[in-house]
Amino acid sequence: GGTSSSSAGSIRVFRPGVFTLDGGTIDGGASKNNGGVFQLAGHTPTTAYSQVATLNIISGTINGGSSVNGGAISAERFPVLNISGGIVNGGTASKAGGVIYIYSAYADRDIEVNISGGEIINGTAATGNGIFITKDDECIAPTLNISKDVCQ
């Protein structure tokens, strides 16, 4: 893992971008902001709606890191997070989302999270040890589809 003085301790997926984990292990990372291992950063209000950041976890292991929000993964603005397998193991957040932090900041955009398999385990945070979801008051609620009990 790496260390960042801003966001994403190891890997930042920025708009438009796609990262797919299909095997292997990514160990830790530390961020002084959001996303101990991964930070997904979608569009800003002045860019096209189609500019999304996507993280696909098919298999493999992400061993969480540490950050303010999202010890392992921070998904912000307009990301797409798909987890169909693998293990997201741990993470420590001083504020929210020990393993995964999801934040919707724009009223006209949505966040999409689809979890159909895998495991999300061993997170620690002041609020939301596993998955923490928040949004600004005017925002569309994030779309969260969980089709399997994956949080332990």
Side-chain angles (χ1 to χ4, degrees), residues 14 25 36 60 72 85 87 109 116 118:
F14 193 66
T25 300
I87 299 170
R109 303 294 187 251
S116 60

Side-chain angles (χ1 to χ4, degrees), residues 6-109:
S6 60
S7 296
S10 295
I11 300 169
R12 184 172 195 215
V13 181
F14 193 66
R15 62 169 169 83
V18 177
F19 186 96
T20 299
L21 179 64
D22 191 4
T25 300
I26 299 172
D27 284 322
S31 170
K32 292 184 180 178
N33 199 352
N34 295 343
V37 178
F38 280 98
Q39 182 196 35
L40 304 179
H43 76 90
T44 59
T46 59
T47 61
Y49 184 77
S50 63
Q51 293 198 342
V52 299
T54 302
L55 173 60
N56 301 304
I57 302 171
I58 299 168
S59 68
T61 302
I62 298 170
N63 290 315
S66 62
S67 68
V68 174
N69 294 305
I73 299 169
S74 174
E76 306 166 41
R77 293 178 259 178
F78 186 59
V80 175
L81 174 60
N82 299 307
I83 301 174
S84 60
I87 299 170
V88 184
N89 180 24
T92 301
S94 60
K95 288 188 179 178
V99 181
I100 300 173
Y101 173 78
I102 301 166
Y103 173 65
S104 181
Y106 303 117
D108 61 341
R109 303 294 187 251

Side-chain angles (χ1 to χ4, degrees), residues 34 40 69-71 73-81 83 96-105 110-115 120 128 130-136 140-146:
N34 295 343
L40 304 179
N69 294 305
I73 299 169
S74 174
E76 306 166 41
R77 293 178 259 178
F78 186 59
V80 175
L81 174 60
I83 301 174
V99 181
I100 300 173
Y101 173 78
I102 301 166
Y103 173 65
S104 181
D110 194 7
I111 287 176
E112 183 179 336
V113 179
N114 301 295
I115 301 173
I120 298 168
I131 301 172
F132 181 84
I133 302 170
T134 189
K135 65 182 185 77
D136 286 347
I140 298 169
T143 300
L144 178 62
N145 300 306
I146 300 177

